[in-house]
């Protein structure tokens, strides 16, 4: 055993938090040196401690670069904080940051310092995950396209790779170092991602990891732990070379097929034992736990994922994590966002909604509410953070019904017990009733004691407590779950919930002589033998008051409308920080008290009753800055009001009626087309591990600096060829069209699973000329592969990977092009992956400010009657009212029998790739800021008909996906969106 582990073991045996110190990596050393106990962030085998206080990490994943409007980041983070999330986990994208080797750009949506500032303002910790490899369903798994051309194998300790990431890791670390807690919100930095230590796949994973960790430490990450995200609780980097300070692993028990959303997978049962052997000295940190799923091309769509991995799943699975001892978990994703531009890897399409708690248009899903109830509870149950598993099993000794599986957690020096109950299988959708034998300070009790039962619906899990402290009061037990607690004016309040109609029995020792019940009378209360005894069924809200104690019982659907914001700025969301209870609104973002006024900030989606439970000193309430008329609440506690501000759904222009201008976007097929400024493909060798299939010249687009979207090739030959054997790669569903001397030859629309397409094209006799022939190939790519196995899979080439003329001869010259400027792209705002190589993109016709006055008038709804690519432009104005958050989207009417693909550019940002026959996405949300909600918008749409019969778009509409009277940060018009004049002239 390494000395370090021994120290950690000693520390954990006596529960002394382990602080970590300055990281040094003497060659061959196992990892970190134990450091000063004054370090703000410490941990032991139970939990993380921040400033000496135990904390449950309830974290969610969000990729700022998938929402490239920094003024919307606060919206997402406030929504997360409202649901009890005290941390946000972010991937940082190397490929988007360093589009050209050596030129890093950390501005705009890539600004980590701006993100940290927003998180600090909101009061939410940040788990920074810079990779450099991130996976994340993004092109190359976050590796830059130019890395495909280096000889070294990525994710190894080979010099070429290590040199490649130096600047990125250094600049990330230097910036992040200024935001390490307590100077900023960053509490962890994750090194690499799902990095297998496996000889077969990557024999140098450990030294490669150690080099990275040294670089983080040497460049300023000195105050916060380094973490990992193991692909499985197998102990990679929990010890040995490359060891991290805090070991984490991920788990996706629901899989990634959302086509049968009502079939819920069973619970994994290996976490406890696997974690105990993988990481015996650390607490259980689920660095990524499934919070939704990505949906592949032709998948069922994200609503299926939201259903499959929705509120029931969150209920059963996340509580099972707690039953397994997890005290830190981060849900991947909590806000998914958009694969705008060419951010996606080949498996996925434009939307990265992920069926997450916060949907792509930033609206709240049903599971958001479930996560809120749990998140608030975990922060309200500090005893959980020192507890251990004290027993588990089906039926006895806990549940009277053998169909109920119980895990008991407790110990750790305090009397609180937690009983995590669930049914035996997630297949069961019918309710089951049981009693439960629990430990209390008055001995073992079989509850409920006074009639009724504990009911578990199908796919319902409950965490029931005994001897649970709230303020100076103690809940001896409750057959309803605890949502949260707060102490206001010295009075202790606990909020309990069960599904409507389920029994509730709760006992609170009290010296009071009487208990009153106000609100719903479905709950009764009495004082008997110094106990307040609360019984009944939940329906609406019942308020039980006795002495200086209040027990609120709500049915679960009503509990979903409860919010518990802290009233002072704080990362800490535990009950020691003052808070209020707010009931009713769609969202409460923030609360603060100044003198006698409670100022609330939030969102409503219609007239909403509001109840606030706040200190007695509060006499007036404002909502989004406007005062609301309050009166005493008829709940018998707090103040009530009605929020009447209505958000009108904005009226939206009809794109079908708009004036459209149009031009040919495939002029390259004309023999006379001038390609003199294009790159001449002249490489005959490549370092790429997947060498050309055939042909003298290497035609991989990445070899010539084109890493994004589509590519156009022009190959010249003389002679009498009768056809060509052509091989292309482009990822799933990539397509191509081929033309000879301007004449359409054929297309291939690709398929899911396409690695390589090999076609033989026959040249029509009348198409070949005796002199110089020019073959034009336009092809797209669905992104670079990921590199999950660390085997350079992302280097699979894009574009033409092999060619041979049939009938003799060879090409004299090959020219190619891709996105404008290649790696020297001029658009340092939208970055390297926004544009591809279609003429409409290269010429700047997709940019705002492009002069289309000389173009013909023609609409995409008429389309084209031959194979080819056409580009259409239009403008429209929006005037969404102030204070209204109205997420908007472009909705295509699908015509699956038609074979076309479209790119949708909104003010120069590519926010949709629609493939008519590969779906499933037809609705493309575009965030405010990319769409100007208060002014003019310029749209460009390409229409690539792969078939000779042509194609048209059946319909494209602008639709609103909701309308909220919102207290979110105001988005000031468009994000910086350079124009045609700035980028092309
Ligand atoms: C994990 C990986 C993430 C993401 C996820 C699936 O294995 O760490 O980056 O790819 O799978 O969405």
């Amino acid at each position: 055993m390494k000395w370090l582990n021994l120290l950690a073991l000693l520390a954990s045996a006596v529960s002394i938090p382990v602080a970590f110190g300055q990281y040094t990596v003497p060659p061959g050393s196992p990892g970190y040196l134990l450091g000063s106990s004054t370090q703000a962030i410490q941990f032991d085998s139970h939990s993380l401690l921040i400033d000496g206080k135990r904390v449950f990490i309830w974290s969610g994943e969000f990729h700022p670069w998938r929402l490239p409007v920094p003024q919307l980041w606060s919206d997402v983070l406030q929504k997360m904080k409202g649901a009890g999330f005290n941390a946000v986990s972010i991937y940082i994208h190397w490929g988007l940051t360093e589009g050209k080797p050596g030129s890093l750009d950390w501005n705009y949506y890539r600004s980590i310092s701006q993100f940290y500032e927003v998180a600090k303002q909101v009061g939410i910790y940040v788990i920074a995950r810079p990779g450099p490899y991130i996976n994340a369903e993004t092109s190359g798994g976050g590796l830059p396209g130019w890395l495909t051309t280096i000889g070294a194998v990525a994710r190894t300790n080979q010099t070429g790779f290590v040199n490649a990431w130096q600047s990125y890791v250094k600049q990330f670390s230097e910036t992040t170092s200024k935001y390490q807690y307590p100077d900023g919100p960053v509490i962890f930095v994750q090194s690499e991602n799902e990095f297998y230590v496996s000889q077969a796949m990557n024999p140098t994973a450990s030294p490669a990891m150690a080099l990275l960790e040294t670089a983080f430490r040497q460049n300023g990450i000195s105050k916060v732990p380094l973490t990992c995200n193991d692909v499985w609780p197998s102990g990679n980097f929990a010890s040995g070379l490359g060891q991290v300070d805090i070991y984490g692993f991920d788990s996706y028990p629901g899989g990634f097929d959302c086509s049968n959303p009502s079939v819920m997978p069973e619970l994994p049962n290996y976490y406890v034992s696997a974690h105990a052997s993988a990481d015996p000295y650390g607490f259980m940190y689920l660095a990524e736990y499934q919070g939704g799923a990505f949906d592949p091309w032709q998948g069922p769509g994200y609503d299926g994922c939201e259903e499959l991995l929705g509120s029931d799943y969150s209920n059963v699975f996340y509580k099972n994590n707690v039953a397994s001892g997890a005290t830190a978990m981060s849900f991947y994703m909590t806000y998914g966002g958009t694969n705008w531009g060419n951010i996606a890897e080949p498996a996925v399409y434009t939307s990265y909604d992920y069926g997450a708690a916060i949907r792509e248009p930033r609206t709240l899903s049903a599971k958001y509410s479930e996560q809120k109830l749990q998140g608030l509870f975990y922060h309200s149950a500090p005893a959980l953070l020192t507890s251990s598993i004290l027993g588990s099993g089906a039926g006895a000794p806990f549940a009277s019904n053998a169909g109920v599986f119980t895990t008991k957690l407790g110990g750790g020096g305090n009397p609180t017990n937690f009983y995590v109950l669930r049914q035996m299988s997630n297949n069961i959708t019918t309710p089951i009733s049981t009693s439960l034998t629990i430990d209390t300070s008055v001995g073992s009790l079989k509850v409920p004691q006074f009639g009724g039962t504990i009911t578990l619906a199908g796919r319902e899990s409950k965490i029931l407590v005994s001897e649970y402290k709230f303020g100076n009061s103690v809940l001896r037990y409750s057959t309803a779950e605890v949502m949260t607690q707060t102490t206001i004016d010295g009075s202790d309040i606990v909020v309990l919930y069960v599904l409507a109609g389920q029994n509730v029995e709760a006992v609170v020792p009290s010296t009071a002589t009487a208990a009153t019940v106000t609100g719903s009378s479905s709950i009764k209360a009495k004082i008997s033998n110094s106990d307040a005894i609360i019984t009944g069924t939940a329906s609406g809200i019942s308020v039980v008051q006795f002495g200086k104690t209040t027990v609120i019982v709500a049915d679960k659907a009503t509990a979903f409308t409860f919010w518990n914001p802290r009233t002072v700025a704080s990362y800490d969301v535990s009950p020691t920080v003052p808070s209020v209870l707010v009931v009713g609104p769609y969202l409460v973002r923030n609360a603060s008290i100044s003198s006698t006024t409670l100022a609330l900030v939030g969102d409503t989606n219609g007239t909403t009753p509001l109840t606030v439970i706040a200190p007695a000193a509060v006499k007036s309430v404002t909502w989004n800055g406007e005062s609301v008329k309050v009166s005493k609440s008829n709940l018998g506690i707090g103040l009530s009001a009605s929020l009447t501000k209505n958000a009108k759904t904005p009226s939206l222009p009809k794109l079908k009626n708009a004036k459209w201008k149009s031009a040919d976007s495939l002029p390259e097929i004309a023999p006379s087309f001038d390609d003199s400024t294009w790159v001449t493909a002249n490489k005959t060798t490549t370092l790429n591990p997947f060498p050309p299939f055939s042909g003298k010249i290497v035609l991989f687009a990445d070899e010539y600096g084109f890493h994004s979207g589509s590519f156009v090739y022009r190959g010249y030959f003389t002679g009498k060829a009768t056809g060509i054997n052509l091989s292309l790669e482009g990822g799933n569903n990539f397509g191509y069209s081929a033309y000879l001397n301007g004449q359409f030859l054929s297309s291939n629309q690709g398929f899911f699973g396409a690695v390589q397409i090999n076609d033989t094209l026959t040249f029509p006799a009348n198409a070949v000329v005796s002199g110089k022939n020019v073959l034009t190939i336009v092809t797209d790519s669905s992104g670079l592969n990921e590199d999950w196995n660390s085997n350079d899979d992302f280097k699979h080439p894009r574009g033409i990977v092999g060619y041979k003329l049939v009938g003799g001869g060879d090409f004299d010259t090959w020219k190619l092009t891709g996105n404008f400027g290649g790696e020297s792209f001029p658009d340092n705002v939208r970055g390297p992956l926004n544009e591809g190589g279609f003429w409409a993109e290269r010429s700047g016709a997709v940019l705002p400010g492009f002069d289309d006055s000389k173009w013909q008038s023609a609409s995409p709804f008429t389309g084209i009657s031959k194979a080819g690519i056409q580009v259409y432009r239009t403008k429209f104005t929006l005037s969404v009212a102030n204070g209204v958050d109205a997420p908007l989207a472009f909705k295509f009417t699908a015509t699956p029998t038609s074979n076309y693909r479209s790119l949708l550019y909104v003010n120069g940002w590519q926010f949709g790739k629609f493939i008519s026959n590969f779906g499933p996405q037809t609705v493309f949300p575009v965030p405010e800021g990319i769409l100007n909600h208060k002014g003019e918008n310029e749209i460009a749409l390409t229409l690539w008909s792969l078939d000779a019969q042509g194609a048209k778009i059946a319909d494209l509409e602008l639709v609103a996906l909701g309308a909220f009277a919102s207290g979110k940060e105001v988005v000031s018009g468009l994000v910086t969106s350079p124009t045609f004049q700035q980028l092309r002239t």
Side-chain angles (χ1 to χ4, degrees), residues 155-174:
R155 307 178 76 194
T156 67
N157 64 350
Q158 293 177 19
T159 313
F161 177 66
V162 175
N163 287 345
W165 56 249
Q166 287 299 327
S167 311
Y168 169 72
V169 168
K170 181 168 188 284
Q171 293 183 20
F172 159 81
S173 304
E174 285 171 353

Side-chain angles (χ1 to χ4, degrees), residues 91 134-137 193-194 229 250 252 288 294 332 354:
Y91 274 144
I134 59 174
N135 210 58
E137 288 73 70
N193 186 64
E194 291 195 327
N229 175 31
D250 68 16
Y252 289 80
E288 281 178 22
F294 64 79
Y332 189 104
Y354 219 82

Side-chain angles (χ1 to χ4, degrees), residues 320-555:
N320 184 59
N321 293 343
V322 171
S324 307
T327 57
M329 53 184 113
S330 190
F331 303 115
Y332 189 104
M333 300 293 300
T334 294
Y335 176 75
T338 309
N339 290 315
W340 58 275
N342 295 287
I343 278 177
E345 60 106 5
V348 294
Y349 48 88
T350 304
S351 175
Y352 199 65
D353 175 274
Y354 219 82
I358 306 172
R359 306 296 301 269
E360 186 180 9
R362 297 175 290 100
T363 47
L364 306 180
S365 70
K367 83 173 140 191
Y368 172 89
S369 303
E370 171 61 38
Q371 295 184 3
K372 173 171 69 172
L373 297 192
Q374 287 187 52
L376 293 177
F377 170 61
Y378 301 137
H379 299 310
S380 300
L384 197 54
L385 298 170
T386 46
S387 65
S388 308
I389 299 169
L390 301 180
S392 65
F398 305 112
S400 60
N401 189 328
V404 173
F405 189 95
T406 307
T407 306
K408 179 185 180 188
L409 303 163
N414 65 66
T416 312
N417 293 304
F418 300 88
Y419 298 87
V420 188
L421 274 57
R422 61 171 169 85
Q423 298 215 44
M424 298 302 291
S425 164
N426 292 331
N427 268 331
I428 303 170
T429 53
T430 48
I432 192 170
S433 290
T434 188
S435 64
L436 186 71
T437 302
I438 58 171
D439 286 334
T440 73
S441 58
V442 294
S444 167
L445 296 175
K446 191 169 178 185
V447 301
Q449 305 183 81
F450 310 109
T453 57
I454 297 168
T455 303
L456 290 178
R459 299 172 177 174
E460 188 194 5
S461 176
K462 281 192 163 89
I463 303 184
L464 303 181
V465 294
S466 70
E467 301 302 332
Y468 168 86
K469 239 177 128 329
F470 61 108
N472 290 319
S473 307
V474 174
L475 189 58
R476 175 158 298 142
Y477 69 87
S478 165
T479 65
E481 290 184 270
V482 174
M483 173 181 179
T484 191
Q485 58 160 290
T486 181
T487 297
I488 296 178
D489 294 336
S491 193
D492 304 324
I493 304 175
V494 68
V495 181
L496 306 179
Y497 68 94
V498 286
L499 287 168
Q502 288 184 346
N503 281 135
V504 177
E505 183 175 296
V507 172
V508 180
S510 172
T511 53
T513 50
T516 60
V517 181
T518 45
S520 164
S521 59
S522 64
I523 292 289
K524 308 279 176 241
K526 64 177 181 190
I527 304 284
S528 167
N529 293 331
S530 300
D531 281 340
I533 298 172
I534 297 158
T535 54
T537 55
S539 167
I541 302 172
S542 305
V543 180
V544 184
Q545 289 174 279
F546 44 95
K548 294 212 95 165
T549 306
T550 301
V551 177
I552 298 177
V553 181
D555 69 71

